[in-house]
Amino acid sequence: MPLDERYALDEFLITTMARQFSGEVMVSSVTAFGALSALLAKARYAPDLAVLATPESGMEVTPMPTLSLGQFLTDAQRGIPLTMEEIFDAIFTDRFRIWINPAQIDRHGNTNISVIGDWHQPKVAMVGSRGIPEDTSHLSQIFYYVLTHSRRTVVEQVDFRSGAGTGPDRDATLGEHGAPSVLVTDLGVFDFTGPDGTMAVRSLHPGVTLEEVQEKSGFEIHAPSSIPVTEPPTEEDVQIIRDADPLEVRKLELLSGPEAAERFVSIYERERQALHAAWPRLGKLG
Amino acid sequence: MTVDQVVADIPNGSTVAIGGSSLSRKPMALIRALARSSVKDLRLIVDVGGPDVDLLIGTGSVSEVIYAFVGFEVLGLAPHFRRARQQQALRFEEWTEYTVMAGLDATIKRVPFLPTHAGLATDVLSVNTSFRRFKDPFHGEELVAVPALKPDVALIHVNYADAKGNGVILGDGHVDVLCAKAARRTYMSCERIISSDELQRYGRDVQILRVHTTGVVELPWGAHPTGCAPDYRADLRHLQDYLRYSANDDAWRAYADQYIYTDQSRYLERQGGVEALLARLKV
């Protein structure tokens, strides 16, 4: 999409992600994009969110993104400590939301973070399905984002189903429990309201055409006859994101190669200082 | 206890559950001690693994890994894990975050399995043959039976402990409590041993109870290069070096000589010493 000088792509996407939240649910922070979207949502769109500072704990504190997301706490930043049992109980009772960044997502919203190729003879062994099976078998809203919409990421069929999408397998075993609800990419916002629960266009980002989306997808995405344009962030949205992420950890997710490495080192050198400026030590511990 | 006594208690073929989570509070000093011993054919159980699993695969100490995740988070994939998976060099069993917890919990509750919906309509159930699908006896609902995971040994690292084996965890708890309760023998390293009186002030942060602990070892910086919140953050520079050293066999031998086949005090000297670590990593 063409850039607008008032916001960067990361700020556009984080705002779009923030606007998907609603209600009084726990939100886990496993990526900078996820953490910042939750924080912005809490400030502007879904004030009752219980945002966690780390993937599994630190409720009710501001999750300033760092490189080791969350697992880098000062004594002042701890928030309400939670246990893994509490996290999964929140998932099982559908009081939990998370933004997941899969390697592949398909027509039915199945997602893969485990392996490229056959699981038994991997072309690329990635990380393993982690907690995605739990999320997709229990949460009534599952949020996915993909930063580079392409035929490698948005595919006809995932190589391995880490996360359960829509379709007969889900209908037979999970019934009403959980379902993929939204996919945000650098091209648009998609949901799974197409025929038989397939992916459909909900909105396209400013300047993006349906042809471009179809060209960059591994299958034809269902499109309504009239497609809205994704609402861009307001000045206030952008300011909240910038204030919340002074180190610009969010930019790393969009970079690769030497540029990413350079920025990584620079953030690493500055993150402790920045965290202490935001969260002075209480000195109560240890 | 000493590190050597812990390692001497772990025979070939042991099933070892490891606490912590990816780059957070991994018992790395104990892991390195295990890696430089002659122990072989370990079966590892990790919920969220990182340098712990990767290093033990790198030194050829492992025959099987049960895992929900193994990776280096922001730094990318785990090199030895990835290579071993792609070369089909070891036995791997992909579980999920909750099912690893449920498997440990089943052992704690002394039941053969626990039921869950997790994994239904995913391919985890097709590749993991340890799980069974069954219909619940009350309503006929389709469920997954998660078999009990029975670690011989658990290794965990905590912030503080008393000499009796009560442990204080200040950052995220991860699955350390489940590992400690499920294992036949639990060995806990800690940043500092404190008196039982001092330990009392930590209230609910005393998460590891001495009835589950076999031995305690004081190992300052014992989680390095992973982090131990809020004492120190993960050493991402060392972990980047680790990834570079893992690129080929020669480089990996050099890493092992320098950082694994040495004791914890020399290991810390080779990081520039404790003062440099404090300046770089203390939160």
Side-chain angles (χ1 to χ4, degrees):
Chain A
M1 61 183 262
L3 286 182
D4 185 306
E5 61 186 19
R6 288 165 301 175
Y7 47 78
L9 177 60
D10 50 88
E11 290 151 359
F12 185 97
L13 297 177
I14 288 165
T15 304
T16 305
M17 290 161 67
R19 290 171 179 163
Q20 312 303 320
F21 284 112
S22 63
E24 186 164 11
V25 287
M26 217 180 255
V27 187
S28 179
S29 302
V30 290
T31 64
F33 270 57
L36 289 164
S37 71
L39 189 145
L40 173 60
K42 189 173 168 60
R44 299 256 297 148
Y45 302 107
D48 293 332
L49 291 185
V51 181
L52 308 188
T54 83
E56 57 176 86
S57 194
M59 200 170 104
E60 313 289 27
V61 292
T62 313
M64 181 184 128
T66 58
L67 293 175
S68 39
L69 275 158
Q71 277 137 25
F72 168 23
L73 305 172
T74 75
D75 50 2
Q77 198 206 5
R78 292 178 66 206
I80 299 172
L82 306 177
T83 63
M84 286 289 273
E85 286 81 356
E86 281 167 320
I87 293 296
F88 280 104
D89 288 349
I91 291 172
F92 298 150
T93 53
D94 195 18
R95 293 184 172 93
F96 182 92
R97 297 290 179 265
I98 185 170
W99 278 99
I100 296 168
N101 178 205
Q104 293 178 325
I105 184 164
D106 70 19
R107 191 193 281 274
H108 284 273
N110 297 297
T111 48
N112 175 21
I113 61 165
S114 183
V115 62
I116 300 297
D118 177 53
W119 190 93
H120 295 282
Q121 296 166 301
K123 204 182 294 170
V124 182
M126 296 185 291
V127 290
S129 296
R130 205 166 187 166
I132 295 186
E134 285 82 350
D135 295 329
T136 57
S137 53
H138 294 88
L139 301 180
S140 60
Q141 287 185 303
I142 303 159
F143 303 142
Y144 293 111
Y145 73 101
V146 164
L147 294 176
T148 311
H149 190 130
S150 77
R151 285 171 181 247
R152 286 172 57 170
T153 52
V154 181
V155 299
E156 167 77 33
Q157 196 173 10
V158 292
D159 292 0
F160 183 88
R161 287 180 303 168
S162 301
T166 60
D169 218 11
R170 162 181 291 282
D171 296 343
T173 56
L174 292 169
E176 296 300 304
H177 298 288
S181 43
V182 178
L183 167 68
V184 171
T185 77
D186 54 338
L187 301 182
V189 181
F190 307 87
D191 57 27
F192 298 89
T193 58
D196 301 321
T198 53
M199 195 183 292
V201 181
R202 188 186 281 179
S203 69
L204 294 179
H205 301 336
V208 176
T209 63
L210 183 60
E211 292 65 43
E212 182 183 1
V213 170
Q214 302 296 21
E215 174 62 29
K216 289 182 171 170
S217 304
F219 58 93
E220 193 176 333
I221 300 179
H222 178 77
S225 51
S226 155
I227 300 172
V229 176
T230 314
E231 186 79 26
T234 65
E235 228 170 275
E236 195 185 346
D237 291 322
V238 172
Q239 201 54 50
I240 289 171
I241 294 168
R242 290 180 186 170
D243 290 346
D245 183 23
L247 296 168
E248 301 192 326
V249 178
R250 66 189 184 279
K251 305 281 183 192
L252 272 180
E253 289 189 42
L254 288 162
L255 298 174
S256 60
E259 205 186 342
E262 200 175 304
R263 193 179 277 266
F264 185 94
V265 170
S266 141
I267 293 171
Y268 186 66
E269 297 305 329
R270 291 180 297 134
E271 68 176 8
R272 228 167 15 135
Q273 209 182 348
L275 198 68
H276 280 294
W279 300 94
R281 278 186 80 85
L282 296 178
K284 275 196 309 203
L285 305 173
Chain B
M1 274 186 107
T2 66
V3 166
D4 292 337
Q5 287 170 322
V6 172
V7 171
D9 265 4
I10 304 176
N12 287 346
S14 296
T15 300
V16 181
I18 305 172
S21 180
S22 64
L23 305 185
S24 168
R25 221 166 32 69
K26 286 290 179 182
M28 292 304 295
L30 293 177
I31 295 290
R32 285 189 294 272
L34 201 52
R36 66 178 168 263
S37 75
S38 58
V39 70
K40 289 272 175 293
D41 295 328
L42 297 175
R43 293 178 70 232
L44 302 183
I45 297 172
V46 286
D47 202 24
V48 176
D52 50 346
V53 174
D54 198 73
L55 190 147
L56 286 168
I57 293 176
T59 53
S61 315
V62 178
S63 65
E64 182 178 353
V65 187
I66 288 169
Y67 65 97
F69 173 100
V70 179
F72 279 50
E73 302 289 355
V74 69
L75 297 176
L77 304 178
H80 295 105
F81 168 80
R82 175 182 173 179
R83 213 170 295 145
R85 276 278 284 121
Q86 290 174 194
Q87 294 168 354
Q88 302 156 59
L90 313 172
R91 207 176 119 68
F92 290 95
E93 211 169 80
E94 185 160 318
W95 288 48
T96 71
E97 258 183 276
Y98 172 73
T99 54
V100 171
M101 292 167 63
L104 294 169
D105 204 20
T107 294
I108 295 165
K109 294 178 162 61
R110 212 174 55 78
V111 292
F113 71 91
L114 284 174
T116 181
H117 292 98
L120 290 171
T122 76
D123 289 328
V124 174
L125 289 189
S126 3
V127 299
N128 182 333
T129 53
S130 289
F131 294 151
R132 296 276 189 282
R133 288 162 73 141
F134 74 108
K135 288 206 189 300
D136 96 73
F138 299 100
H139 309 99
E141 192 179 355
E142 179 96 9
L143 289 167
V144 178
V146 180
L149 286 170
K150 299 179 178 172
D152 299 312
V153 173
L155 300 178
I156 61 175
H157 182 78
V158 302
N159 299 82
Y160 313 119
D162 68 8
K164 292 187 284 195
N166 296 302
V168 175
I169 296 175
L170 296 175
D172 289 1
H174 309 310
V175 294
D176 292 40
V177 172
L178 288 170
C179 291
K181 288 178 178 171
R184 287 205 191 89
R185 301 189 302 283
T186 292
Y187 301 97
M188 170 168 64
S189 58
C190 63
E191 290 297 312
R192 192 148 53 86
I193 289 186
I194 59 179
S195 72
S196 298
D197 283 348
E198 201 186 335
L199 182 119
Q200 301 273 353
R201 359 189 236 117
Y202 288 96
R204 304 282 295 182
D205 290 334
V206 183
Q207 295 189 33
I208 306 296
L209 306 179
R210 65 184 170 91
V211 292
H212 302 297
T213 316
T214 311
V216 182
V217 195
E218 189 177 53
L219 283 168
W221 299 94
H224 185 276
T226 68
C228 185
D231 289 331
Y232 50 90
R233 60 175 172 164
D235 191 345
L236 298 183
R237 285 208 298 212
H238 181 92
L239 288 166
Q240 281 179 315
D241 285 344
Y242 177 100
L243 295 178
R244 278 192 283 272
Y245 275 116
S246 303
N248 61 62
D249 289 351
D250 285 346
W252 177 245
R253 261 193 296 277
Y255 181 90
D257 285 344
Q258 203 172 347
Y259 298 117
I260 300 174
Y261 294 97
T262 188
D263 62 22
Q264 177 73 353
S265 67
R266 278 194 210 97
Y267 172 85
L268 294 177
E269 280 166 30
R270 286 166 190 177
Q271 307 296 331
V274 166
E275 289 304 314
L277 283 172
L278 277 172
R280 206 162 79 225
L281 303 174
K282 178 120 179 63
V283 176

